[in-house]
Amino acid sequence: MSGTAASAPGAIPEFKQTMGHPRPLWMLFMTEFWERFAFYGIRWALTLYIVQAFYAGSGEGEAPASRVYGAYLALVYAAAIIGGYIADRVIGYQRSILLGAVVMSAGLFMIAYPDQTVFHVGLATVIAGNGLFKPNISAMVGQLYAPTDQRRDSGFTLFYMGINAGAFIAPILTGWFSDKVFGTDAMPAYKVVFIASGIGMLLSLVWFWFGRRQLGTIGRPLAGAENKSRVLWVLLFVLASVPVYYFLLAIDAATLQWILSAMFLVLCGMILVEGFREGPVARDRAIAMLIIFVFNVLFWCFFEQAGSSFNFLADKIVNRDFGGWIFPVGWFQSVNSLAIITVAPVLAWLWMRMGKANPSIPRKFGLGLIFNGLAFLLLMFALSSLVSAAGLIPFWTLFMVYVIQSVGELCLSPIGLSMTTKLAPVKLVGFAMGGWFLSTGIGNNLSGIFASHVSGETGMTVASAHAGYTQGFWILLGGGVILFLIAPLIQKLMHGVK
């Protein structure tokens, strides 16, 4: 874990404990809470806004909106590679997080301006800032615990609750502003969503600015790299990257997929080279980590329908009418977070309670894929057997899809963050965390491509949704079964990491 004085074995400070965990965990929890408020505040509205503002509400805008959404999410996570490297080698984790928060805030306010060019520049700016923020705050959570600390998975699961607490509140508040306060159900005021998200990002910045003293030496720059002029050079580099992200948002999604895949292969090569340098154990652990990264791509390809095809499903095919009161589309995004907030403490307790019987990391990932697949199985059933005369499926079906997916997410995502800090070569923890997010980003870009096929050329129909989600079920089920079968091999490569 280069980049901090805590990198050396035994150098982790003796933190005061709160609720059985290092006190700085809770400061990072709240910093991430407000950043996720900002991120999820805009997530539900992006595709709907693009169709409304730039395609006059036509169903023909659904496919391109899904592709832009997928590309945006992909680049948000791909930028984490650069941000992780900058934190590891240039300015440290704390400064990276502060600078990323400033840049993200600017981008969020930009996308509220009703112009397509400014909108895309704003998205590119958010991408550049998030790359500095997202991987590094997660890496710092891992640095609060010794590698052998049994509380590590539990700490990451609690941190994941912070992510989802922000994600739960954001769609409810911004959806209420958009549909009920500043707009109507028929004509939502999406720019208010983006302004509220920008304010949330500023709160994240302020929270970390005042709370970072709790971290002590954790996240400080490398010895000899304390010069603040490095921050200025990084800022100039980040601003110069905005036109690059703007260009990547504009190109064809398939071309972007090739670029992201090439980046992933380069990253794998760099991690493997470092693993070989550190010895056979580090090499094997790096290989195990990279195999799991591949299955992570598969999970997020289908999970991230939430911000694209599931939005259009909710808007057009789900019965949201409760006696004249219409359930806002954006509020479905909070179901996932509510389920995670409810179930996360149970799983955090369960992982600790099971002790040596705790499922291996590969098997937890396999469970994540299978639960994701079960959610698509429910949609297959609803779209084939529960469609009303009005062409709508019951409200509860999409609600439960989010709940089932959430269980799968808890089996995979927080465990993946913890796994990366355990298996990555010691000198490339931040970079490897960027690799975790790049694999997520590749899945997100594929999610936009998949969602565009579900909508077709003229917009989503019951038939197109059923065909697409059936395909998703079988792919996820197959991936989960394969991962279960090869889990013993992966576990052997992990050399005792659990």
Side-chain angles (χ1 to χ4, degrees):
M1 301 177 191
S2 66
T4 74
S7 299
I12 296 176
E14 290 293 331
F15 293 113
K16 292 182 179 180
Q17 304 295 300
T18 301
M19 297 176 64
H21 288 272
R23 185 169 295 177
L25 173 68
W26 305 104
M27 182 275 293
L28 296 175
F29 176 105
M30 287 304 301
T31 301
E32 183 74 346
F33 168 90
W34 285 114
E35 187 272 335
R36 291 291 91 180
F37 176 93
F39 184 85
Y40 284 94
I42 71 170
R43 177 175 176 257
W44 72 268
L46 281 175
T47 53
L48 298 171
Y49 172 72
I50 292 170
V51 172
Q52 179 201 79
F54 308 136
Y55 293 91
S58 170
E60 295 177 357
E62 291 182 15
S66 293
R67 288 191 290 267
V68 169
Y69 171 78
Y72 158 71
L73 283 184
L75 292 170
V76 160
Y77 288 108
I81 301 176
I82 299 171
Y85 189 85
I86 287 172
D88 274 334
R89 301 296 178 91
V90 185
I91 62 174
Y93 294 90
Q94 292 189 24
R95 291 176 177 178
S96 295
I97 289 168
L98 290 169
L99 186 59
V102 171
V103 175
M104 284 179 68
S105 299
L108 288 165
F109 286 115
M110 288 174 66
I111 63 176
Y113 188 77
D115 176 87
Q116 190 167 11
T117 299
V118 176
F119 175 79
H120 283 96
V121 172
L123 284 182
T125 305
V126 172
I127 291 165
N130 196 268
L132 283 173
F133 189 103
K134 183 60 180 170
N136 297 317
I137 194 165
S138 300
M140 287 178 69
V141 172
Q143 294 177 27
L144 300 178
Y145 301 90
T148 57
D149 194 327
Q150 293 295 321
R151 301 172 301 166
R152 198 180 183 94
D153 278 3
S154 176
F156 270 99
T157 301
L158 290 170
F159 177 71
Y160 208 64
M161 285 181 64
I163 294 175
N164 285 280
F168 169 70
I169 293 173
I172 292 176
L173 187 59
T174 58
W176 179 60
F177 283 161
S178 173
D179 293 8
K180 310 296 182 183
V181 178
F182 298 98
T184 66
D185 291 321
M187 187 58 65
Y190 293 116
K191 67 178 181 180
V192 178
V193 174
F194 307 141
I195 292 170
S197 297
I199 294 171
M201 195 64 237
L202 289 176
L203 289 172
S204 177
L205 169 64
V206 171
W207 198 280
F208 187 76
W209 174 267
F210 286 105
R212 71 190 193 281
R213 292 186 184 90
Q214 299 178 25
L215 294 164
T217 56
I218 297 290
R220 296 277 180 85
L222 285 165
E226 298 89 349
N227 193 323
K228 293 183 179 179
S229 65
R230 289 188 170 215
V231 178
L232 176 60
W233 285 110
V234 170
L235 175 60
L236 293 175
F237 171 79
V238 169
L239 294 178
S241 72
V242 170
V244 177
Y245 293 127
Y246 178 87
F247 167 76
L248 292 173
L249 281 171
I251 64 176
D252 181 73
T255 303
L256 177 60
Q257 190 63 35
W258 282 107
I259 294 172
L260 294 172
S261 299
M263 290 174 62
F264 184 70
L265 290 175
V266 170
L267 176 138
C268 291
M270 293 177 68
I271 289 176
L272 285 174
V273 167
E274 185 61 37
F276 273 89
R277 285 176 181 166
E278 293 183 12
V281 173
R283 175 202 64 202
D284 290 351
R285 287 176 174 172
I287 292 171
M289 180 181 70
L290 295 176
I291 292 172
I292 292 177
F293 279 5
V294 173
F295 285 93
N296 190 50
V297 170
L298 181 61
F299 179 87
W300 292 104
C301 171
F302 296 101
F303 183 89
E304 267 305 334
Q305 297 307 301
S308 51
S309 74
F310 286 1
N311 260 351
F312 297 125
L313 183 76
D315 190 42
K316 301 173 70 172
I317 300 177
V318 174
N319 183 1
R320 297 180 289 115
D321 190 341
F322 288 84
W325 181 79
I326 305 300
F327 185 90
V329 170
W331 288 15
F332 276 109
Q333 304 290 320
S334 292
V335 178
N336 165 249
S337 303
L338 178 62
I340 286 178
I341 292 167
T342 304
V343 177
V346 178
L347 277 184
W349 172 84
L350 182 62
W351 300 147
M352 294 182 69
R353 180 70 175 174
M354 293 180 72
K356 293 182 179 179
N358 196 345
S360 67
I361 289 173
R363 290 224 159 111
K364 286 177 182 174
F365 268 69
L367 287 172
L369 290 169
I370 289 170
F371 273 104
N372 199 356
L374 292 176
F376 279 79
L377 180 63
L378 176 56
L379 283 177
M380 288 168 55
F381 171 69
L383 290 164
S384 62
S385 305
L386 301 180
V387 181
S388 70
L392 302 176
I393 62 175
F395 173 89
W396 70 266
T397 55
L398 184 56
F399 185 97
M400 287 307 300
V401 162
Y402 280 105
V403 172
I404 296 168
Q405 280 193 323
S406 300
V407 177
E409 183 183 1
L410 277 171
C411 290
L412 179 144
S413 193
I415 306 305
L417 295 174
S418 178
M419 172 206 72
T420 302
T421 63
K422 295 176 186 177
L423 297 180
V426 173
K427 294 182 179 180
L428 291 179
V429 173
F431 188 62
M433 192 66 75
W436 164 259
F437 289 118
L438 174 60
S439 68
T440 303
I442 293 172
N444 288 336
N445 190 58
L446 288 171
S447 78
I449 296 172
F450 177 77
S452 70
H453 290 308
V454 174
S455 286
E457 295 297 325
T458 58
M460 181 180 289
T461 64
V462 171
S464 69
H466 182 263
Y469 296 148
T470 299
Q471 182 184 33
F473 164 71
W474 288 112
I475 293 173
L476 285 165
L477 180 64
V481 170
I482 290 171
L483 191 49
F484 258 85
L485 292 175
I486 66 173
L489 172 62
I490 298 174
Q491 191 62 39
K492 183 177 180 181
L493 290 170
M494 293 167 68
H495 290 276
V497 170
K498 296 181 179 179

